[in-house]
Amino acid sequence: MAGPSPLFSGTPGNRQDLLSLRQNYPSPFFSLSDQYIPSTMKELYRWAVYAYTVNPHVYQTVRKMAGYVTTELVYSGAGNKSSSFEAWKNLMERKLKVKRMERMYLLDYFTYGAAYAMVMFPYERYLECPSCQSKHKLDNVDWEPQDLAFIAQCTKDGCDYKGEMKAQDRDVKSYNKLKLIRLNPRYIDPIYEDITDSYMYVYVIPKFVVARLKSQNPVVSKTYMSKIPLAVIDAVRKQENVKLEEDQIFHFKWDSLSRDDNSLGEVPLMPIFKYLWLFHTQWRAQEALAVENINPWLMVSPAAGTTIDPIKTYNLQRWRIEMQRNIVAWRRDPNHIALAPFPVNQVQLRGEYRNLNNMDSMNMIADMMTVGLGVTPSFLKGGASYSSASVELRVLENDFRNVTLLLDEFIDWLTNLLRRFYNLPAEKIHHQEFKMADDIQQKQTAMQAMQGGLISKETTVAELGYNAEVEEKKINEELKSENKKIKVQNLEQIKAQNEAARENFIMQTESMVVQQLAQEKLTAGEVPDIRALFEQVGRNEHKKIAPGSVDVSEIDMEPQEQGLSPEQVDIRARAFLRGRASPTLRENELILMEANNATPEAKLTARRIRELMREMKQQAANTAALTPAKQKPGKRSAGTAVE
């Protein structure tokens, strides 16, 4: 029985014909760009920085993703605006500027595949004298750096020690120097233990920091030694690195496959490295084409005729001089007409850049790089909408939501550190749920479902991107404000009605006074001037005008020198009661007339009105008492005879 076919025996590596040197086909998995792939992660970081800085597609894609995924912070105490809410909001957004720092962390995250956050709590540095053990604040003593040591003179009375002092840092419960810092991933070596799932971080002190600490310039070295933590200074002195505990640092790590060493995540730019090499190779060719072919090169030569050869017949040097002169004249005057004894040939060399450029190929490579970074080309160039690309944008939305969850973990880590250090009250803080902008169809569907009673208002408000509890509080506050405005408007309207009733009452009173004065003048045989009486009474409504003794001299007197007579008070009171105002308006008018800021005449009139009202009420009661009760029909009193 024949054995198995050699084509399927073993792996392709066992086939000798494929390994033969006579096969000239190179490996399809090896290309020119593979020669430039960095061999270490730190070297890859350098290339990632170069790609981010130089390539416009990488630069804009990374920045747009970092800015697009950061959302606003939501506080649990925002609804009732508690004191803890105000304290946390001021600390997170105004002092630490968390949203701006998150965007900076995400720039590293989308470029390196790793970002490191650390909180620098405020502290004050003291120097301890080894002679008397007294401690001095660094800012209060005169000191100098020397070989990474603090050289100072003790200021305590009776101690003349001058030399090296031991530095100590004390924590300060203040927000003034509290900072949220970002560490460069190139100087962080994470050490991961798979079995215990624990991290340890080593900060490799950059060479420029060591150089500045040891600088011969006293200003530079003194500034750095007064600001940099003592752990860094001690590590430089011992030529070591700084060990950071797991709870001191927050690691934004890019998800990756399981590998032998999972300390570092994958670099997001690694999948597009070959496209970057190809893009810049074509860019270099594009530059060469532009330099060589962007400008046309024109050549002019005498054309040979059918019977005469100008090269043999004419002086070509003179022809060249004439052609140059005509070119100069044409440049000065575009309408210049040149004369030549024979035809002229014109040949154009170069100037074909438009036909030779490879921009279409470069645009295709740029789109491939954008896709390799995890977004669609429309995300970078614009034009993405749910109506045209709902599936791809939904996938992109899910990826961004995972980043938002990572940012929530960072907020939890940060708030726990701040709460322990400053003894702050507990406050639940998280990011607003990430949603792709302008999902109009989804929002309209949510509104229709709410109107149909299928979903709650709270769910609809959340779909629109708002906090239902906070919005309800705002609505209640706005309703209270609107009700207050309506109340003020109603009071002003009532006040205006009362003023109108008061003016009506004054006008009626003036009319009655004029009628009385005119009647008195008619009784005395005089012809009264009604217009003059109205003008005088209107200007002097509070004068004392006694019946039978009215003349022009009395009417022209100032109101401050006279008052209302009892007769005028009575006339005004009766006119007020005969008015058509409703009982409510009448009572409001009386209250205004009895107020403390009312005039004495108004108070007298109000008092008389009250008296008349009591008299009218008493007369009505007396009349009711004297009127016999009518006997109802169909009933007879007892003992009445019936005829």
Side-chain angles (χ1 to χ4, degrees):
M1 182 176 179
S5 172
L7 184 63
F8 301 101
S9 59
T11 61
N14 295 331
R15 294 184 56 186
Q16 297 299 323
D17 56 336
L18 294 179
L19 300 177
S20 175
L21 296 177
R22 292 177 296 176
Q23 299 292 336
N24 296 325
Y25 297 105
S27 172
F29 303 105
F30 183 79
S31 60
L32 294 177
S33 59
D34 291 330
Q35 303 179 40
Y36 301 93
I37 293 180
S39 57
T40 63
M41 291 293 292
K42 295 303 178 72
E43 185 69 16
L44 185 58
Y45 283 174
R46 293 181 62 251
W47 280 101
V49 173
Y50 175 80
Y52 170 81
T53 307
V54 175
N55 191 281
H57 300 86
V58 175
Y59 177 82
Q60 289 297 334
T61 302
V62 170
R63 294 190 69 87
K64 286 183 181 297
M65 288 193 298
Y68 190 49
V69 76
T70 53
T71 59
E72 300 293 336
L73 294 178
V74 178
Y75 302 83
S76 60
N80 51 16
K81 293 186 177 180
S82 60
S83 58
S84 63
F85 157 70
E86 295 294 341
W88 277 105
K89 184 178 179 64
N90 179 69
L91 178 60
M92 299 290 285
E93 298 184 10
R94 296 183 180 89
K95 180 59 184 176
L96 295 179
K97 297 179 176 58
V98 171
K99 186 174 181 180
R100 175 177 175 271
M101 293 302 301
E102 286 179 344
R103 187 169 184 269
M104 295 174 65
Y105 294 139
L106 291 181
L107 289 177
D108 288 352
Y109 178 72
F110 288 119
T111 303
Y112 297 112
Y116 301 94
M118 189 174 180
V119 180
M120 185 64 68
F121 290 104
Y123 60 88
E124 291 180 347
R125 184 159 296 172
Y126 288 83
L127 298 181
E128 182 180 358
C129 177
S131 177
C132 61
Q133 282 74 44
S134 61
K135 297 180 181 180
H136 311 277
K137 193 175 180 180
L138 184 65
D139 298 336
N140 298 334
V141 295
D142 186 14
W143 66 279
E144 295 294 335
Q146 182 178 345
D147 296 332
L148 299 178
F150 296 87
I151 308 299
Q153 183 173 359
C154 183
T155 59
K156 185 179 180 180
D157 296 338
C159 182
D160 298 332
Y161 176 81
K162 182 178 181 181
E164 181 179 353
M165 291 189 179
K166 182 180 179 181
Q168 297 178 357
D169 290 339
R170 296 181 182 177
D171 294 336
V172 179
K173 305 293 184 177
S174 173
Y175 295 153
N176 291 334
K177 296 182 180 180
L178 176 65
K179 294 181 180 179
L180 188 60
I181 61 176
R182 176 180 59 164
L183 300 176
N184 193 333
R186 294 175 58 186
Y187 303 114
I188 298 294
D189 285 340
I191 301 175
Y192 177 69
E193 177 57 47
D194 299 70
I195 300 177
T196 60
D197 189 25
S198 60
Y199 269 95
M200 184 184 70
Y201 301 94
V202 176
Y203 176 63
V204 180
I205 302 175
K207 294 181 179 180
F208 69 88
V209 175
V210 177
R212 291 171 183 175
L213 285 173
K214 297 181 178 180
S215 174
Q216 299 300 322
N217 188 340
V219 177
V220 176
S221 59
K222 189 173 183 178
T223 301
Y224 260 71
M225 287 192 64
S226 62
K227 302 297 182 182
I228 286 185
L230 292 177
V232 177
I233 299 177
D234 294 339
V236 174
R237 185 186 296 113
K238 299 176 182 178
Q239 297 182 354
E240 297 176 353
N241 296 321
V242 180
K243 178 183 176 182
L244 301 175
E245 297 298 333
E246 187 174 3
D247 59 346
Q248 292 180 280
I249 194 171
F250 187 85
H251 184 187
F252 294 84
K253 181 182 176 182
W254 193 272
D255 297 336
S256 62
L257 293 173
S258 296
R259 296 176 298 185
D260 294 339
D261 186 4
N262 292 319
S263 300
L264 293 171
E266 295 178 351
V267 179
L269 301 186
M270 186 62 192
I272 66 169
F273 186 84
K274 291 188 175 184
Y275 293 107
L276 281 170
W277 183 89
L278 183 58
F279 180 86
H280 287 281
T281 300
Q282 295 216 15
W283 183 265
R284 186 171 65 252
Q286 190 77 4
E287 289 178 342
L289 289 174
V291 171
E292 293 294 331
N293 296 278
I294 193 67
N295 295 318
W297 181 20
L298 299 180
M299 297 184 63
V300 180
S301 62
T306 56
T307 57
I308 301 177
D309 187 359
I311 297 177
K312 297 179 180 180
T313 307
Y314 295 95
N315 186 353
L316 295 182
Q317 183 177 4
R318 181 180 177 184
W319 174 83
R320 179 177 61 81
I321 296 174
E322 287 296 326
M323 290 301 298
Q324 291 177 347
R325 184 183 63 81
N326 283 315
I327 292 174
V328 172
W330 170 72
R331 287 179 176 176
R332 293 178 179 177
D333 181 11
N335 294 324
H336 172 73
I337 299 176
L339 300 178
F342 47 81
V344 177
N345 289 330
Q346 175 182 327
V347 180
Q348 176 179 332
L349 302 178
R350 307 294 176 84
E352 299 177 354
Y353 175 74
R354 182 185 297 272
N355 299 326
L356 297 176
N357 75 82
N358 55 350
M359 290 301 298
D360 294 337
S361 177
M362 294 181 63
N363 290 333
M364 182 184 66
I365 298 174
D367 291 342
M368 294 293 293
M369 289 191 299
T370 305
V371 173
L373 290 174
V375 296
T376 60
S378 57
F379 177 83
L380 180 63
K381 301 177 182 179
S385 62
Y386 267 92
S387 59
S388 60
S390 59
V391 176
E392 59 179 310
L393 290 183
R394 181 63 67 184
V395 174
L396 184 60
E397 180 179 358
N398 292 335
D399 290 340
F400 283 159
R401 283 182 176 178
N402 293 330
V403 180
T404 305
L405 294 177
L406 181 61
L407 293 177
D408 284 339
E409 294 179 8
F410 163 70
I411 292 296
D412 293 339
W413 169 83
L414 177 61
T415 53
N416 290 333
L417 287 181
L418 296 175
R419 187 159 46 84
R420 289 198 302 264
F421 187 83
Y422 291 105
N423 296 323
L424 294 173
E427 181 78 14
K428 182 62 179 177
I429 306 175
H430 61 90
H431 288 84
Q432 186 177 2
E433 184 181 1
F434 176 82
K435 291 182 178 296
M436 298 293 288
D438 299 330
D439 187 359
I440 305 300
Q441 295 179 354
Q442 183 71 13
K443 294 178 180 179
Q444 290 178 350
T445 303
M447 293 292 292
Q448 294 174 0
M450 182 198 67
Q451 294 173 359
L454 299 178
I455 60 176
S456 64
K457 292 183 179 180
E458 182 178 357
T459 304
T460 306
V461 173
E463 180 65 27
L464 296 176
Y466 301 99
N467 189 313
E469 182 180 357
V470 174
E471 296 304 321
E472 184 178 0
K473 295 287 185 181
K474 292 181 178 179
I475 291 174
N476 293 334
E477 292 177 359
E478 291 177 356
L479 287 177
K480 291 180 181 179
S481 178
E482 291 296 331
N483 292 335
K484 187 176 180 180
K485 291 180 181 179
I486 293 174
K487 183 178 179 180
V488 173
Q489 292 176 357
N490 291 338
L491 291 176
E492 292 294 331
Q493 185 177 2
I494 293 174
K495 185 176 179 181
Q497 293 176 355
N498 293 337
E499 290 291 335
R502 181 174 179 274
E503 293 295 331
N504 186 26
F505 164 72
I506 294 175
M507 292 176 61
Q508 291 178 0
T509 305
E510 291 175 353
S511 178
M512 295 181 63
V513 173
V514 169
Q515 290 178 9
Q516 180 184 1
L517 295 177
Q519 185 65 32
E520 292 175 357
K521 286 184 176 292
L522 289 174
T523 305
E526 300 178 4
V527 178
D529 187 354
I530 304 299
R531 180 177 300 176
L533 290 176
F534 265 109
E535 292 178 357
Q536 297 299 326
V537 173
R539 291 195 303 267
N540 305 278
E541 58 176 339
H542 303 298
K543 287 196 316 177
K544 180 179 178 181
I545 305 177
S549 60
V550 179
D551 54 18
V552 178
S553 61
E554 279 186 323
I555 295 176
D556 289 336
M557 295 178 67
E558 292 296 328
Q560 292 82 358
E561 300 176 0
Q562 301 210 8
L564 290 176
S565 65
E567 292 81 3
Q568 291 175 325
V569 172
D570 185 73
I571 292 172
R572 287 193 172 193
R574 294 182 184 278
F576 179 84
L577 294 174
R578 286 197 299 269
R580 298 181 179 180
S582 63
T584 303
L585 293 178
R586 185 181 297 171
E587 183 63 27
N588 292 336
E589 180 65 25
L590 277 174
I591 293 173
L592 292 176
M593 295 172 66
E594 294 171 346
N596 294 330
N597 58 352
T599 61
E601 291 79 1
K603 293 180 179 180
L604 290 173
T605 305
R607 186 183 305 168
R608 179 56 182 162
I609 293 172
R610 295 289 186 187
E611 293 175 356
L612 291 175
M613 291 175 65
R614 286 194 293 269
E615 292 176 2
M616 294 170 62
K617 186 176 181 180
Q618 186 63 35
Q619 290 177 3
N622 295 337
T623 302
L626 295 175
T627 302
K630 293 183 180 181
Q631 188 175 6
K632 295 183 179 181
K635 290 186 179 180
R636 297 181 178 89
S637 59
T640 303
V642 180
E643 298 181 353

